[in-house]
Amino acid sequence: MNKLFKMRVLLYFGLFFLLISCGETVTKKEYQSPDKKWGELFLEVQNQRIFNDSKVFADAVPKFKVDSILLSFEKAKSVKGFDLKRFIYENFNLPNYTVSEEKSSLAFEKYIETTLLALMREPKDDGGSLIPTRKSYFAGGGKFEELNYFRSYLTLLALQTLNQDTLALNQAINSAQFIQDFGHVPAGNRTYCMSRSNPPVFALMINKLAEKDPKQLEIFGTQLMREYQYWMSSESKEEVLKQKQAQGRGEKAYQKVVFLPNNNLLNRYLDNENTSMVEKPFNGKTTKDFYKNLRASHESEWVEGKRWSSDSDVNRAIDILPVDLNALLYFMEVTLSEVYKAKGKEDYAKSFGKLAQKRKAIFNQYFWNDKQGFYYDFDFVNQKQRELSTLAAVFPLLVGLADQKQADRVAEKLEREFLKNGGLLNELNGSGIGAAEFQFFAIESLKKNEKLDLAKKIKERWVNTNWEYFAKFGKIEESYNVAQPLILQKNSHQQRIDGSLSVLLVLLKK
């Protein structure tokens, strides 16, 4: 423990003061999520279910100063006949989530490109929950006017295929600026997203940029280091000491870091807020850590299915070591080693190389199941592997953690059990759902491991599913029931489509 602790302290002190600005700070404004900003007013709106979707009030823009609205509410709430809904309409501009029902007249590929570019937004501080970005960003469509960190990587790839290199670079700059200002990339540029991030894809973003311009690794390297500190819960000397103390007391975890035997560390998803900011309880299952688990699953971007559920269907995301997160953190460590090698800082490069090798050395122990020939999440509370097979298993192949034999067996299981007529299942839970982002990561992982025929088969089925759906409805969705005939598909209108559009653009252009 002492050796690892000293390495962390060295990295903290040696690198904290090397921060390189990627431009003027977006803002020094103090941002508050709506529940904190509006206090009792927010609680009343949520408790009375004034709107069918709790996101409506979270995204509302006040017409007057906050103090003025709160004072008016305080005076009016005790008056007989007070109409809370009317009060909200009088004091706020509410977002319009109307989705056009018109079928597009464009050809399929032109529709994909045109619709994605139409989602581009310029930085804006609307006085509500929206946080201005440094550069232009891409919204999700419909009720999602904010960007999404996880999908920003896919958007970057799509923009590169359109030869929109400046717009592609902007997506990395936005992430870097958030890290510069707040220490991490929030899940989205909303105040209520600030307490959580997403699967960390910044290392993937800058590696992709570096394929054309190797200097991008050095340019964004310091921000990547800060993101690493965020995920390793070591953003300050005090936090490093608290982590050591928690480990010394025999606690199972500290923030996003989980303590394992032999002084090993792996990571979990965790949102430090524990409120019902946006999400509502379902099925009445509001256990002690209900919201903490729910928000952790939102950080993972895996919010459908049973990946995080126990036998009683209770969400237990904070008790689980995720395959994909730890694979992405391995890639971050490898990338940081390359960053500091390029900068001529050999000591730091070697330190990150050792951290990557340390994670790689225990990866199979916790995540690989030789009997099943597949990677599984690990329940560190009950000290056992999870049994549900999910597409998170492709990430070790994507980042170079799998050997050829493991890659062969994962590919075999994908083709045998996951692949349906419409594409790949997200997980083997019987629901039949397959999402765009995970189709893409599976295809890329298979291509990196020379499984070209299977990658091609998945690509063709996914593109065909979208093409047929578009022909019928004049639009596309983020996910489909890939095991169900198209005629039975449900038209949701509630999904983000930036990820799906980006994935299709990359697949079609390649």
Side-chain angles (χ1 to χ4, degrees):
M1 182 167 68
N2 287 337
K3 186 175 180 182
L4 185 61
F5 173 67
K6 287 177 181 176
M7 184 183 294
R8 290 265 164 80
V9 172
L10 170 67
L11 289 172
Y12 170 73
F13 283 114
L15 297 169
F16 185 76
F17 299 104
L18 293 176
L19 299 178
I20 301 171
S21 175
C22 58
E24 294 178 9
T25 303
V26 169
T27 179
K28 292 296 183 183
K29 181 177 176 179
E30 183 71 25
Y31 286 106
Q32 286 186 312
S33 59
D35 58 326
K36 293 182 173 65
K37 187 174 185 177
W38 299 110
E40 185 184 350
L41 174 58
F42 175 85
L43 289 176
E44 283 302 306
V45 171
Q46 301 296 70
N47 290 337
Q48 293 186 32
R49 300 292 196 261
I50 298 297
F51 305 105
N52 291 331
D53 189 337
S54 57
K55 196 176 189 299
V56 173
F57 186 59
D59 293 351
V61 176
K63 296 179 181 179
F64 313 107
K65 290 183 178 180
V66 176
D67 290 346
S68 175
I69 294 176
L70 290 177
L71 183 61
S72 296
F73 173 68
E74 191 64 29
K75 290 179 179 178
K77 67 179 182 180
S78 57
V79 176
K80 187 177 180 180
F82 172 62
D83 186 334
L84 180 58
K85 188 170 186 177
R86 180 178 177 182
F87 179 86
I88 296 302
Y89 276 96
E90 288 175 347
N91 288 277
F92 293 86
N93 291 314
L94 300 176
N96 181 5
Y97 294 153
T98 304
V99 177
S100 173
E101 296 294 332
E102 279 189 38
K103 288 183 66 172
S104 174
S105 60
L106 295 173
F108 180 56
E109 191 166 338
K110 188 64 178 176
Y111 165 83
I112 302 301
E113 181 178 335
T114 303
T115 307
L116 178 64
L117 292 177
L119 293 176
M120 189 174 73
R121 302 288 185 267
E122 295 302 323
K124 181 174 69 172
D125 188 342
D126 64 2
S129 60
L130 198 66
I131 301 173
T133 54
R134 174 67 178 168
K135 299 288 187 179
S136 56
Y137 70 93
F138 285 76
K143 68 178 183 178
F144 302 102
E145 267 300 296
E146 64 276 359
L147 65 79
N148 174 265
Y149 171 37
F150 180 56
R151 292 172 178 84
S152 291
Y153 169 60
L154 301 173
T155 303
L156 182 152
L157 298 180
L159 292 168
Q160 284 188 332
T161 67
L162 296 174
N163 296 315
Q164 296 277 3
D165 289 344
T166 299
L167 286 179
L169 177 61
N170 285 349
Q171 309 319 301
I173 290 175
N174 286 335
S175 293
Q177 190 71 61
F178 276 122
I179 296 170
Q180 185 72 19
D181 290 347
F182 305 112
H184 68 284
V185 188
N189 57 324
R190 292 281 187 188
T191 57
Y192 54 78
C193 293
M194 289 298 295
S195 61
R196 63 175 177 263
S197 187
N198 267 167
V201 293
F202 188 51
L204 292 174
M205 294 173 84
I206 64 176
N207 268 278
K208 192 62 182 176
L209 293 172
E211 289 179 8
K212 290 187 176 182
D213 178 10
K215 284 290 183 182
Q216 296 296 339
L217 279 183
E218 293 182 59
I219 291 170
F220 290 111
T222 307
Q223 282 75 31
L224 183 63
M225 174 59 202
R226 285 198 71 185
E227 184 180 41
Y228 183 72
Q229 289 175 318
Y230 167 78
W231 281 99
M232 298 309 297
S233 302
S234 57
E235 295 181 271
S236 67
K237 178 184 177 183
E238 290 72 26
E239 195 170 34
V240 173
L241 290 172
K242 285 180 181 178
Q243 184 180 143
K244 184 187 178 186
Q245 290 166 354
Q247 190 174 13
R249 290 192 299 268
E251 296 180 13
K252 293 182 183 295
Y254 175 79
Q255 306 290 24
K256 295 179 183 293
V257 172
V258 175
F259 306 125
L260 301 168
N262 301 316
N263 297 319
N264 288 313
L265 304 177
L266 287 173
N267 298 80
R268 64 175 175 174
Y269 291 113
L270 181 74
D271 183 335
N272 285 322
E273 291 291 335
N274 195 22
T275 69
S276 57
M277 180 36 249
V278 176
E279 306 84 6
K280 298 179 185 177
F282 51 88
N283 299 330
K285 295 174 181 175
T286 51
T287 57
K288 177 186 175 185
D289 289 322
F290 176 86
Y291 287 114
K292 186 164 283 192
N293 281 296
L294 189 58
R295 293 172 72 93
S297 61
H298 274 260
E299 180 171 64
S300 76
E301 284 299 320
W302 201 292
V303 295
E304 302 292 338
K306 298 185 177 181
R307 181 179 178 187
W308 312 113
S309 300
S310 63
D311 293 336
S312 58
D313 277 343
V314 173
N315 187 327
R316 295 183 53 245
I318 63 174
D319 297 338
I320 296 168
L321 295 172
V323 176
D324 46 356
L325 173 59
N326 283 280
L328 288 169
L329 285 169
Y330 165 78
F331 187 72
M332 193 185 297
E333 290 161 343
V334 170
T335 301
L336 281 165
S337 182
E338 293 299 315
V339 164
Y340 288 105
K341 191 180 295 181
K343 289 186 174 186
K345 298 183 181 295
E346 290 296 329
D347 288 345
Y348 293 139
K350 288 179 182 177
S351 292
F352 278 108
K354 288 178 181 178
L355 288 170
Q357 289 306 310
K358 191 173 180 68
R359 192 180 297 267
K360 184 175 185 178
I362 63 170
F363 200 88
N364 283 343
Q365 176 186 345
Y366 289 96
F367 300 118
W368 177 251
N369 186 312
D370 198 56
K371 183 178 179 181
Q372 296 293 328
F374 212 64
Y375 291 98
Y376 292 87
D377 297 324
F378 187 84
D379 181 337
F380 68 86
V381 173
N382 293 312
Q383 289 294 298
K384 63 179 183 180
Q385 276 188 348
R386 304 277 289 169
E387 295 180 359
L388 183 64
S389 302
T390 77
L391 277 188
V394 304
F395 281 83
L397 282 67
L398 182 74
V399 301
L401 277 165
D403 62 29
Q404 193 57 54
K405 183 179 178 182
Q406 289 170 322
D408 291 344
R409 297 188 68 190
V410 169
E412 288 168 8
K413 188 175 178 74
L414 291 181
E415 187 161 22
R416 184 177 67 250
E417 300 180 39
F418 281 78
L419 185 60
K420 304 299 177 183
N421 289 336
L424 292 171
L425 299 167
N426 284 357
E427 52 187 53
L428 301 183
N429 67 359
S431 73
I433 299 301
E437 294 85 1
F438 302 108
Q439 310 291 318
F440 174 79
F441 283 114
I443 291 168
E444 288 299 296
S445 299
L446 292 166
K447 285 164 61 179
K448 281 181 179 289
N449 290 272
E450 302 301 319
K451 303 297 177 184
L452 302 183
D453 289 342
L454 178 56
K456 182 181 178 183
K457 191 182 295 186
I458 297 166
K459 169 186 170 179
E460 289 174 348
R461 293 189 186 187
W462 182 254
V463 170
N464 190 57
T465 293
N466 282 273
W467 185 87
E468 288 185 1
Y469 192 86
F470 176 77
K472 184 176 178 64
F473 296 109
K475 61 183 68 179
I476 63 154
E477 300 285 354
E478 184 77 359
S479 61
Y480 303 92
N481 189 323
V482 296
Q484 198 175 56
L486 182 67
I487 194 172
L488 299 176
Q489 294 288 340
K490 191 176 181 181
N491 207 344
S492 74
H493 301 304
Q494 293 299 311
Q495 303 173 330
R496 296 185 67 101
I497 59 169
D498 50 331
S500 190
L501 292 167
S502 298
V503 167
L504 284 170
L505 260 176
V506 174
L507 296 180
L508 290 168
K509 295 294 184 182
K510 282 187 176 181

CSV table of all heavy atoms in Angstrom, one decimal, residues 22 77 214 216 236-237 335 439 464 508:
chain,number,residue,atom,x,y,z
A,22,CYS,N,-6.8,25.2,-22.3
A,22,CYS,CA,-7.1,25.0,-23.7
A,22,CYS,C,-7.9,26.2,-24.2
A,22,CYS,O,-8.6,26.1,-25.2
A,22,CYS,CB,-7.9,23.7,-23.9
A,22,CYS,SG,-9.4,23.6,-22.9
A,77,LYS,N,-47.6,30.5,-1.5
A,77,LYS,CA,-47.9,29.1,-1.3
A,77,LYS,C,-48.9,28.9,-0.2
A,77,LYS,O,-49.6,27.8,-0.2
A,77,LYS,CB,-46.6,28.3,-1.0
A,77,LYS,CG,-45.9,28.7,0.4
A,77,LYS,CD,-44.7,27.9,0.6
A,77,LYS,CE,-44.1,28.3,2.0
A,77,LYS,NZ,-42.9,27.5,2.3
A,214,PRO,N,-0.3,13.8,-34.4
A,214,PRO,CA,0.3,13.2,-33.1
A,214,PRO,C,0.4,14.2,-32.0
A,214,PRO,O,0.4,13.8,-30.8
A,214,PRO,CB,1.6,12.6,-33.6
A,214,PRO,CG,1.5,12.4,-35.0
A,214,PRO,CD,0.6,13.5,-35.5
A,216,GLN,N,-1.7,16.1,-30.8
A,216,GLN,CA,-2.9,16.2,-30.0
A,216,GLN,C,-2.8,15.5,-28.7
A,216,GLN,O,-3.4,15.9,-27.7
A,216,GLN,CB,-4.1,15.6,-30.8
A,216,GLN,CG,-4.4,16.4,-32.1
A,216,GLN,CD,-4.9,17.8,-31.8
A,216,GLN,OE1,-5.3,18.2,-30.7
A,216,GLN,NE2,-4.7,18.7,-32.8
A,236,SER,N,-6.8,15.7,-5.0
A,236,SER,CA,-6.1,16.6,-4.1
A,236,SER,C,-5.3,15.7,-3.1
A,236,SER,O,-5.6,14.5,-2.9
A,236,SER,CB,-7.1,17.5,-3.3
A,236,SER,OG,-7.9,16.7,-2.4
A,237,LYS,N,-4.4,16.4,-2.4
A,237,LYS,CA,-3.6,15.7,-1.4
A,237,LYS,C,-4.5,15.1,-0.3
A,237,LYS,O,-4.4,14.0,0.2
A,237,LYS,CB,-2.6,16.6,-0.8
A,237,LYS,CG,-1.7,16.0,0.3
A,237,LYS,CD,-0.8,17.1,1.0
A,237,LYS,CE,0.0,16.5,2.1
A,237,LYS,NZ,0.8,17.5,2.8
A,335,THR,N,-2.5,5.4,-22.4
A,335,THR,CA,-2.5,6.7,-23.2
A,335,THR,C,-1.6,7.7,-22.4
A,335,THR,O,-0.8,8.4,-23.0
A,335,THR,CB,-3.9,7.2,-23.4
A,335,THR,OG1,-4.6,6.3,-24.2
A,335,THR,CG2,-3.8,8.5,-24.2
A,439,GLN,N,-23.5,-1.7,-30.5
A,439,GLN,CA,-23.3,-2.3,-31.8
A,439,GLN,C,-21.9,-1.8,-32.4
A,439,GLN,O,-21.1,-2.6,-32.8
A,439,GLN,CB,-24.4,-1.9,-32.9
A,439,GLN,CG,-25.8,-2.1,-32.4
A,439,GLN,CD,-26.2,-3.5,-32.2
A,439,GLN,OE1,-25.9,-4.4,-33.1
A,439,GLN,NE2,-26.9,-3.8,-31.2
A,464,ASN,N,-29.3,-2.4,-41.9
A,464,ASN,CA,-30.6,-2.8,-42.5
A,464,ASN,C,-31.8,-2.6,-41.6
A,464,ASN,O,-32.9,-2.2,-42.0
A,464,ASN,CB,-30.5,-4.3,-42.9
A,464,ASN,CG,-31.7,-4.7,-43.7
A,464,ASN,OD1,-32.0,-4.2,-44.8
A,464,ASN,ND2,-32.5,-5.7,-43.3
A,508,LEU,N,-21.8,3.7,-42.6
A,508,LEU,CA,-22.2,3.9,-44.0
A,508,LEU,C,-21.0,4.4,-44.8
A,508,LEU,O,-20.7,4.0,-45.9
A,508,LEU,CB,-23.4,4.8,-44.1
A,508,LEU,CG,-24.7,4.3,-43.7
A,508,LEU,CD1,-25.7,5.4,-43.6
A,508,LEU,CD2,-25.2,3.2,-44.6
